[in-house]
Amino acid sequence: MADTDKYIEMDRTSKRPVFGYPEWKRHRNSDRFTRNLGNLFNSQTIRANWQEVAACTLIALAVVLWNDAPGELGSILPKDRVVLSLPALPFTVSGTFLSLLLVFRTNSAYARWWEARCIWGAIINTCRDIVRQAITRFDPADLELKAEVTRLVSAYPRCLIYHLGERTDVSNLVIEKKLGKILTEDEKAKLMACTHKPMTVTGMLSQAIRKAKLDVIDEMKIDADVTKFSDYYGMCERIFKTPMPLSYTRLTSRFLSVWLLFMPLALYGAVGTHFAIVPITAFLAFAIFGIEELGVQIEEPFSVLPMNVMAGGIDASIFEALELDKEDRKKQGVVA
């Protein structure tokens, strides 16, 4: 909690779920309600919004103490002090508009997240299809060229992950290490020296396909898949470089902050047990600030999508296909 921003960025790495059947089974298990309630005070949303929740709670506590002044506090405060209270009607009316703002905010953010996930689903399919076509359309004996295409296809999602992430010394070392496991030294050196790695690896892939000297129809079919790679990194850049209109985000944040900070004044006249205002305010702040926080967190989807896992899945399938092709060629006596 001492460094909320650092915690939020670190926490994003834990929001990259990849579900299989066991995860779905646990997700829909009947004990999910008690499990989620039991983890309420370990909520990542509370840790991300503790400052906002604490501010609203302290204001609620200050309002109750000022107005009711229990014990010795009553002798310290002025006897003729004004009761701090506001009518609830403005909050009731404005709450409708606030809910519309929040719904639009979260729905728009979710649409960005889902579009990014669909793009990466298409990347997975296209990677596998390019390797499938290379294996079936290239000369059966040209295993090295098939391996080159497979390596470059594997490098594409790794380069795209780097392209859409934070550029640091650590990320530079990570991409260099990952590319070193996939590519030859010359291929890795070329990619590490360039700025736009996804575009460069796409060009290298086109050159490798040209070496196969396919007939025009076959080359056009496989090149159509390579062209999709250019579309995909362009789509990702559109999402990554263009946030939701900042004026909308600021309006929502300001409206929400003012509404919740003044909420205890409206609750004072509406809630009979005045000290109950404090936990009620804390809960409302946690819930409503949490909804706004969810929208902000998924607005930039690439650091919460499990892209490394998806890239690993691509590697597993395409290198397996390449290995199976090698074994088939050996059995057929095409290669030694």
Side-chain angles (χ1 to χ4, degrees):
M1 290 187 177
D3 194 341
T4 303
D5 292 334
K6 182 178 180 180
Y7 166 76
I8 290 173
E9 292 304 313
M10 291 177 62
D11 179 58
R12 293 178 72 80
T13 61
S14 67
K15 295 178 178 177
R16 302 172 182 172
V18 179
F19 270 36
Y21 191 83
E23 288 77 17
W24 280 114
K25 187 176 179 181
R26 183 175 186 273
H27 182 67
R28 58 177 173 256
N29 195 284
S30 60
D31 71 350
R32 64 186 182 277
F33 299 104
T34 55
R35 183 175 67 245
N36 291 334
L37 282 175
N39 294 330
L40 178 62
F41 295 103
N42 294 326
S43 171
Q44 297 163 342
T45 306
I46 289 180
R47 293 190 64 181
N49 290 311
W50 73 270
Q51 294 168 315
E52 295 91 334
V53 174
C56 293
T57 305
L58 288 174
I59 288 177
L61 181 62
V63 167
V64 173
L65 292 177
W66 173 270
N67 290 341
D68 293 351
E72 295 182 0
L73 184 61
S75 61
I76 300 174
L77 296 176
K79 299 295 183 182
D80 58 346
R81 64 186 180 278
V82 177
V83 175
L84 300 177
S85 179
L86 288 173
L89 182 60
F91 291 86
T92 303
V93 174
S94 62
T96 302
F97 301 104
L98 178 61
S99 64
L100 290 174
L101 280 173
L102 286 175
V103 167
F104 180 81
R105 181 78 178 78
T106 52
N107 283 353
S108 299
Y110 175 78
R112 292 166 60 88
W113 179 88
W114 182 242
E115 183 183 4
R117 180 61 185 88
C118 290
I119 293 170
W120 268 85
I123 288 172
I124 294 171
N125 296 340
T126 304
C127 287
R128 291 169 175 167
D129 194 56
I130 290 175
V131 173
R132 175 191 63 82
Q133 291 195 63
I135 289 173
T136 55
R137 297 181 191 276
F138 286 9
D139 187 319
D142 203 346
L143 297 180
E144 178 51 39
L145 189 55
K146 293 178 185 179
E148 181 180 352
V149 169
T150 304
R151 292 195 305 269
L152 293 172
V153 167
S154 172
Y156 176 82
R158 303 294 182 184
C159 290
L160 187 55
I161 292 170
Y162 173 82
H163 187 67
L164 299 172
E166 185 180 12
R167 307 294 175 82
T168 63
D169 291 338
V170 174
S171 66
N172 291 336
L173 290 173
V174 168
I175 186 65
E176 184 174 6
K177 184 177 180 180
K178 288 183 177 180
L179 292 180
K181 293 180 179 180
I182 301 169
L183 304 176
T184 64
E185 283 299 320
D186 290 342
E187 292 167 345
K188 184 187 79 170
K190 184 174 182 179
L191 278 178
M192 291 304 300
C194 68
T195 301
H196 200 299
K197 291 177 174 53
M199 183 176 179
T200 302
V201 77
T202 303
M204 293 168 65
L205 187 56
S206 294
Q207 293 171 3
I209 292 169
R210 182 62 61 88
K211 294 177 190 176
K213 297 181 180 179
L214 302 172
D215 62 65
V216 176
I217 299 299
D218 284 347
E219 186 169 339
M220 287 178 60
K221 288 181 177 179
I222 195 168
D223 190 65
D225 269 351
V226 177
T227 301
K228 291 179 183 178
F229 276 172
S230 298
D231 295 335
Y232 296 148
Y233 64 67
M235 294 174 187
C236 290
E237 287 174 341
R238 169 169 51 81
I239 297 172
F240 185 71
K241 294 185 177 182
T242 310
M244 291 177 62
L246 296 180
S247 57
Y248 188 92
T249 302
R250 289 167 183 159
L251 173 63
T252 305
S253 179
R254 289 164 182 163
F255 186 3
L256 178 61
S257 298
V258 172
W259 196 84
L260 281 171
L261 287 172
F262 282 92
M263 174 62 69
L265 299 175
L267 290 176
Y268 185 82
V271 177
T273 306
H274 291 158
F275 274 98
I277 294 172
V278 178
I280 291 173
T281 300
F283 177 77
L284 288 175
F286 158 68
I288 300 177
F289 275 123
I291 293 171
E292 199 263 348
E293 177 71 17
L294 291 176
V296 172
Q297 291 301 315
I298 63 174
E299 182 182 356
E300 189 279 281
F302 299 107
S303 55
V304 291
L305 284 173
M307 295 188 296
N308 280 308
V309 176
M310 289 188 276
I314 293 171
D315 286 353
S317 57
I318 62 177
F319 283 110
E320 180 184 49
L322 180 65
E323 194 61 33
L324 289 173
D325 180 68
K326 287 181 181 179
E327 293 177 2
D328 289 343
R329 300 309 169 196
K330 287 180 180 179
K331 290 178 182 178
Q332 296 170 13
V334 176
V335 293

